[in-house]
Amino acid sequence: MTACITGATAGIGLAFAEALAAEGHDLVVVARDELRLTTLAHRLGTEHGIAVEVLPADLATEAGCAAVMDRLRTTAGSVDVLVNNAGFGLNQDFVGGSLAQEERLLDVLVRATLRLTHAALPGMVDRGRGTVINVSSIAGWVPMGSYAAAKSWVTTFTEGLAAELHGTGVNATAVCPGYTPTEFHDRAAIDMAFLPDWAWIDAQRVAAEGLRAARARRPVVVPSKRYAALALATQYAPRPVIRLAGRVVATSRAARR
Ligand SMILES: NC(=O)c1ccc[n+]([C@@H]2O[C@H](COP(=O)([O-])OP(=O)(O)OC[C@H]3O[C@@H](n4cnc5c(N)ncnc54)[C@H](OP(=O)(O)O)[C@@H]3O)[C@@H](O)[C@H]2O)c1
């Protein structure tokens, strides 16, 4: 079995890559930094005796997406597990912020997820087996900028896919983590010093609970009981309360810039 993980060099994607490698899957690892990919491939190949293909690609670009789509359509060494994980955050107001950055965000979080899934699924359905895991976020339930809106799309898209795939042997799962200590916040220059230690959930746990949920064919999972409870609250609390929560988070982030 071969698994393709986007954003496999760091954080949550790296945790998925390590967990799938430990189970004996061959891997196709995708990210932009080729040196990091090659180092990872060598390490996982040596530690687990698996084959690891390195596929450097910028998923914000046409050429990068097309290269990964081509690999997902290949029948030799067919991909049975696709983890759409690559992503980043923005630390800017929408008004007056960089439009190019907003568009890159949508390209990576939404457009690449859509296109890679579209490339992978026909083969999986023909073979009668396969799994798509889309890494979304708990932020998708709270209105607070374009990142949250994009993650809302990822979760809803995945739930719809799971319904469409029912009975095919293929399943789709949206994994919605809370705050996870990765390179994500540093890359976006988001100061997280205010967050207490107990509020972080580690990437290995996110990947383990994500894989468990996918195997149980659950369309959505929120790793950890505390974040699952928070997600439930955001889904059932009156919408004005959730809008207020979104405003408080956005205002506090702006104050920390
Ligand atoms: N950390 C959190 O608190 C948190 C919470 C909820 C959801 N998430 C989601 O989890 C996913 C993974 O984030 P993370 O926290 O693990 O971040 P991370 O540590 O910064 O890792 C991001 C990964 O994505 C790759 N990547 C970024 N832009 C890319 C592009 N244009 N094309 C291809 N690959 C790209 C990076 O490698 P290169 O730079 O080499 O390309 C890296 O491997 C994201 O979708 C994020 O939205 C994170």
Side-chain angles (χ1 to χ4, degrees), residues 66-144:
V68 185
M69 289 169 76
D70 283 349
R71 176 60 187 87
L72 292 169
R73 291 190 184 113
T74 305
T75 46
S78 58
V79 169
D80 291 309
V81 180
L82 168 64
V83 184
N84 283 304
N85 161 80
F88 64 96
L90 290 181
N91 189 13
Q92 62 176 21
D93 286 331
F94 184 75
V95 180
S98 156
L99 180 58
Q101 278 289 84
E102 294 285 354
E103 290 187 315
R104 269 183 67 77
L105 185 92
L106 278 192
D107 285 342
V108 177
L109 296 188
V110 175
R111 197 156 181 267
T113 298
L114 176 91
R115 298 184 80 199
L116 270 45
T117 304
H118 195 265
L121 278 177
M124 291 183 183
V125 170
D126 281 351
R127 293 186 292 277
R129 62 164 202 273
T131 299
V132 175
I133 295 174
N134 291 330
V135 179
S136 188
S137 171
I138 195 167
W141 284 296
V142 184
M144 47 182 186

Side-chain angles (χ1 to χ4, degrees), residues 7-13 30-33 57-60 85-88 104 108-109 135-137 147 151 177-180 182-185 187 200:
T9 52
I12 295 170
V30 179
R32 290 166 300 178
D33 185 331
D58 183 346
L59 293 173
N85 161 80
F88 64 96
R104 269 183 67 77
V108 177
L109 296 188
V135 179
S136 188
S137 171
Y147 174 84
K151 290 303 191 182
Y179 291 116
T180 311
T182 64
E183 298 174 14
F184 180 94
H185 299 99
R187 286 179 191 240
W200 294 99

